[in-house]
Amino acid sequence: MTPKKIIIAIDGVSSSGKSTAAKDVARELGYTYIDSGAMYRAVTLYCIRENLIHQGLVDEKTLKDRIPDIRIEFVFNELTSRSDTYLNGEKVEDEIRNPDVAALVSPVSKIGFVREAMVTLQRELGQEKGIVMDGRDIGTVVFPDAEVKIFLTASPEVRAERRYKELKIKGLDVNYDDILSNLQERDRIDSTREISPLRKADDAIELDNSGMTLEEQKAFILEQVEAWRQRTIQP
Ligand code: DC
């Protein structure tokens, strides 16, 4: 009998390795990986391109009028075996990871109507279950009934070091201290915002992966999935 498909929610602080963990687990289970942060990043890129952010302040009125015209999609890429993010038909997968987007994504993602639109899309994508979704509010707001919830953390220095290496490999001219202060600032805004702040769901399992390998992290999450299955097996 094929096991029942479930929803796995992976939340946590910025650059804690959520997407790597989520992708690894999705691959292992044959599930779909959905990057909810990519959606907020795509809206931020739209705002930057349309000149809707001035000195860190978002022109909310114009953005609200335009939000129905912002189309975000994930398209599976056969070459990389992963999904790429598209904004109004254009592939923006690489551009949304750039530091200029990271610097402005928190003010955009704290806006209520932006969150409502993204949460609606996230729930649509999760309708069939069999997904691993990472973000900040997946276990608390988007899928409060997710069968398995993980909350990832790591020390700020470890996280900044990982992000620094990742961006360097991509050939970007980045500075470790800037990355460290950006992620600390994002954590501050993400956890203190009024709507859907970043917080651990009461029933989430917290994992500090500072000293863990990717294999250990994947194994830990798969153990939680297995533990859920064991708990729900009918006697
Ligand atoms: O996971 P990430 O770093 O790509 O996310 C980018 C930003 O998007 C993050 O700083 C906060 C926001 N975000 C959010 O508010 N809710 C989510 N579910 C996912 C991301």
Side-chain angles (χ1 to χ4, degrees):
M1 195 178 77
T2 27
K4 177 177 174 262
K5 290 199 168 190
I6 63 169
I7 293 181
I8 302 171
I10 303 189
D11 289 304
V13 289
S14 292
S15 304
S16 55
K18 296 182 295 296
S19 67
T20 308
K23 275 181 216 159
D24 284 352
V25 170
R27 197 175 305 119
E28 195 72 33
L29 297 173
Y31 277 22
T32 304
Y33 162 61
I34 300 164
D35 176 355
S36 69
M39 301 180 191
Y40 293 97
R41 286 172 181 266
V43 178
T44 306
L45 179 63
Y46 176 91
C47 292
I48 294 172
R49 286 176 169 181
E50 297 291 315
N51 219 2
L52 299 183
I53 310 181
H54 304 279
Q55 286 158 351
L57 283 181
V58 185
D59 175 353
E60 292 193 27
K61 195 179 164 305
T62 309
L63 181 58
K64 193 169 189 174
D65 289 342
R66 305 261 195 98
I67 206 96
D69 304 331
I70 304 179
R71 201 173 77 251
I72 297 167
E73 290 154 314
F74 293 109
V75 178
F76 189 74
N77 181 330
E78 302 277 350
L79 285 178
T80 57
S81 299
R82 60 164 207 202
S83 287
D84 291 326
T85 311
Y86 280 69
L87 169 63
N88 291 340
E90 177 195 343
K91 184 172 144 190
V92 292
E93 182 58 33
D94 293 328
E95 211 174 336
I96 58 169
R97 313 284 161 196
N98 288 345
D100 56 335
V101 173
L104 294 169
V105 65
S106 283
V108 172
S109 53
K110 70 177 189 186
I111 301 171
F113 62 81
V114 172
R115 300 207 70 80
E116 268 171 39
M118 296 307 113
V119 170
T120 303
L121 184 57
Q122 288 152 15
R123 289 188 180 141
E124 274 169 26
L125 294 170
Q127 249 169 16
E128 306 288 316
K129 296 217 172 188
I131 59 156
V132 187
M133 190 178 288
D134 75 337
R136 304 292 187 291
D137 59 342
I138 310 305
T140 50
V141 174
V142 184
F143 296 116
D145 297 329
E147 286 82 356
V148 175
K149 299 182 186 177
I150 306 290
F151 192 82
L152 278 189
T153 63
S155 75
E157 291 73 21
V158 165
R159 293 186 280 136
E161 184 68 34
R162 287 179 188 155
R163 188 60 101 198
Y164 175 77
K165 284 188 185 149
E166 200 177 290
L167 294 171
K168 265 281 187 225
I169 289 170
K170 284 189 181 168
L172 291 172
D173 181 21
V174 283
N175 171 288
Y176 171 86
D177 291 327
D178 289 346
I179 293 177
L180 179 62
S181 56
N182 169 259
L183 65 87
Q184 286 176 316
E185 180 61 3
R186 279 205 284 147
D187 288 347
R188 190 189 64 74
I189 303 178
D190 295 346
S191 30
T192 55
R193 69 181 174 219
E194 257 173 57
I195 312 166
S196 312
L198 164 69
R199 72 167 181 84
K200 178 186 157 308
D202 294 338
D203 52 350
I205 299 145
E206 184 161 348
L207 176 66
D208 183 331
N209 65 12
S210 303
M212 273 180 138
T213 65
L214 297 181
E215 273 306 310
E216 286 167 341
Q217 167 176 273
K218 179 173 79 175
F220 177 89
I221 300 172
L222 291 171
E223 273 167 30
Q224 308 313 313
V225 174
E226 188 48 34
W228 176 84
R229 292 219 165 101
Q230 294 301 329
R231 281 199 302 276
T232 52
I233 283 175
Q234 303 297 329

